[in-house]
C-alpha cells in the first residue's frame, strides 16, 4: 500500500525553526521528483518546495532563502528544514510527488501541522 507519513511539525514563535520529515513506502516516490505542499487555513494546498531525483531544488519565492528541501533515498525520506519562520507559514504540510504523478495524486498522508505565533 502506497503510504506517506509526515512528522516534525509543532508550535513555534516567529523566527524559530522546524525540521519536517516525510517517509514513503513505495518505489514510485523514490523514482520521482518530490515536494512539500502547504495548506494554509481556508486556502488550497500549494507546492512550496521541490527536489528532483538527483537533488536539484526549487522553491516558491515566499520561502526562498528560508526553507531547504533535501532527500535521502536510502532512508525513503524527504526533509524540509524551515528557518526564520513567519506567521504566514502556518498550515498543514504534506509531501508527495512534484509535479503530482497520476499514480499518487490521490494519495496523501495525514500531514503535519505547523503553527507560527507572532
Amino acid at each position: 500500500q502506497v503510504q506517506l507519513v509526515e512528522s516534525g511539525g509543532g508550535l513555534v514563535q516567529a523566527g524559530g525553526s522546524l525540521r519536517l520529515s516525510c517517509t514513503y513506502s513505495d518505489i514510485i516516490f523514490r523514482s520521482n521528483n518530490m515536494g512539500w505542499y502547504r495548506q494554509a487555513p481556508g486556502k488550497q494546498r500549494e507546492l512550496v518546495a521541490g527536489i528532483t531525483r538527483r537533488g536539484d531544488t526549487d522553491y516558491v519565492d515566499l520561502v526562498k532563502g528560508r526553507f531547504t528541501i533535501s532527500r535521502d533515498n536510502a532512508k525513503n525520506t524527504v526533509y524540509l528544514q524551515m528557518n526564520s519562520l513567519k506567521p504566514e507559514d502556518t498550515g498543514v504540510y504534506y509531501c508527495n510527488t512534484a509535479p503530482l504523478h497520476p499514480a499518487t495524486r490521490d494519495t496523501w498522508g495525514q500531514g503535519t501541522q505547523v503553527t507560527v505565533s507572532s
Side-chain angles (χ1 to χ4, degrees):
Q1 182 180 357
V2 175
Q3 194 171 24
L4 295 158
V5 179
E6 300 91 351
S7 63
L11 172 63
V12 64
Q13 287 189 328
S17 298
L18 286 172
R19 188 192 194 207
L20 308 184
S21 299
C22 166
T23 58
Y24 44 85
S25 63
D26 195 274
I27 192 171
I28 196 168
F29 298 109
R30 193 186 314 150
S31 58
N32 277 275
N33 300 342
M34 292 290 291
W36 280 95
Y37 298 76
R38 175 172 69 200
Q39 187 163 22
K43 295 188 177 181
Q44 298 266 17
R45 188 156 39 200
E46 61 176 349
L47 179 67
V48 297
I51 186 167
T52 67
R53 286 178 296 170
R54 69 175 189 180
D56 296 325
T57 60
D58 196 18
Y59 306 88
V60 296
D61 287 344
L62 287 174
V63 308
K64 201 169 291 185
R66 300 188 297 120
F67 290 10
T68 302
I69 187 172
S70 60
R71 69 189 298 171
D72 185 338
N73 282 342
K75 295 182 178 180
N76 288 354
T77 303
V78 178
Y79 304 96
L80 186 67
Q81 177 66 44
M82 305 188 295
N83 299 327
S84 302
L85 282 162
K86 303 176 180 181
E88 51 264 43
D89 294 321
T90 293
V92 181
Y93 285 72
Y94 305 85
C95 68
N96 207 323
T97 53
L100 286 173
H101 190 285
T104 71
R105 66 172 69 250
D106 294 323
T107 301
W108 296 92
Q110 81 289 349
T112 186
Q113 175 72 48
V114 172
T115 303
V116 184
S117 62
S118 57

